[in-house]
Amino acid sequence: VNAVGGYYSNTPPSLQYLPLDELHPIMNEDCYSLSKYIVEVQAASISRANPLMAILSLRFHHVVPDTKRLEGDDIASHAADLWGYVLSSAAGRACLLAMEVDWTGHEVVYIVGDEHCAVDCAAEKLAKKYHPSAQIRDDLKGKAAFFSCEKAERLLGWKHYGGRQLMEGRSFMNKSERVSAPDNAAKTHGIDHTFCKQAPRDDKKGENAPSGC
């Protein structure tokens, strides 16, 4: 998630709105966050050079085996991190779903838990206290996360809990379940761990076969 800038920045990023989505401007200033964003730019370039390839750049937050909890002084110290995390089981499922897409191009998606981890804190109050310049959208209430994963659900069928599941003995996306291609599949750019799939080669012709697998 640090491609935008955040926890490792020398100064807290002036976020424009919350929750964050993939359209938020890049505001990184540190080498770690820059390295994440560079991967996104590379992925976008590779997808343009290989139009039959699908590349998904997954923006993971802190991947943990169990629910994360922040209390006391840890809440303030993680303000730039936006109090997020993702369960390792859900992160792994996102990786598998990323290998099953049937569209081409490059997309960035957030893979973050659907609740923040600041104990006994309302999302609206956290936002107003630690990010007062950010526009607060209506869906930032209660325990709601500060990252929108709506795009991950739309493109992958992914949710932190529920969503598409791996089912033993078969691929977990039947033809009838396939997610339709995004409107701007090759226009956006991505991050953290990049997963790509290329259409199979047609050995008879020596060229890439049409996408559709």
Side-chain angles (χ1 to χ4, degrees):
V1 298
N2 282 283
V4 174
Y7 190 73
Y8 299 101
S9 298
N10 294 322
T11 55
S14 297
L15 301 175
Q16 294 185 3
Y17 57 84
L18 292 168
L20 290 185
D21 60 20
E22 295 81 1
L23 298 178
H24 192 282
I26 301 299
M27 309 180 73
N28 60 56
E29 61 177 41
D30 61 283
C31 57
Y32 179 81
S33 299
L34 176 60
S35 72
K36 300 299 183 182
Y37 179 60
I38 286 174
V39 175
E40 298 183 353
V41 176
Q42 290 174 323
S45 178
I46 291 169
S47 72
R48 289 191 293 269
N50 299 273
L52 295 180
M53 181 180 289
I55 305 179
L56 260 160
S57 296
L58 305 181
R59 289 182 172 180
F60 295 109
H61 211 308
H62 187 201
V63 180
V64 294
D66 298 302
T67 301
K68 184 176 178 179
R69 294 170 59 88
L70 293 174
E71 301 180 78
D73 293 341
D74 286 338
I75 294 175
S77 65
H78 283 76
D81 207 25
L82 294 177
W83 311 280
Y85 74 97
V86 60
L87 292 175
S88 54
S89 57
R93 182 159 37 84
C95 296
L96 293 172
L97 289 168
M99 301 300 293
E100 291 288 329
V101 300
D102 62 353
W103 44 263
T104 59
H106 173 245
E107 291 291 330
V108 184
V109 294
Y110 277 114
I111 301 296
V112 185
D114 52 12
E115 293 187 348
H116 69 74
C117 61
V119 175
D120 296 329
C121 294
E124 312 97 304
K125 292 183 178 180
L126 287 170
K128 291 177 180 179
K129 180 176 181 178
Y130 295 103
H131 300 280
S133 63
Q135 175 191 352
I136 301 175
R137 297 183 172 178
D138 292 339
D139 48 352
L140 190 65
K141 296 179 180 179
K143 290 290 292 180
F146 287 80
F147 299 86
S148 171
C149 291
E150 179 182 338
K151 188 175 179 182
E153 181 177 359
R154 176 166 52 87
L155 297 188
L156 301 177
W158 183 87
K159 291 183 178 180
H160 197 223
Y161 296 102
R164 298 189 192 279
Q165 302 290 323
L166 176 63
M167 297 185 67
E168 186 176 359
R170 73 165 182 87
S171 170
F172 48 88
M173 286 222 310
N174 288 324
K175 291 182 178 180
S176 61
E177 297 174 321
R178 293 198 181 280
V179 181
S180 57
D183 294 335
N184 60 340
K187 294 181 180 179
T188 57
H189 36 260
I191 191 169
D192 277 23
H193 298 280
T194 298
F195 299 87
C196 57
K197 180 184 70 173
Q198 191 166 16
R201 290 184 61 84
D202 184 340
D203 293 333
K204 293 181 180 179
K205 297 180 179 180
E207 300 176 349
N208 284 329
S211 177
C213 56

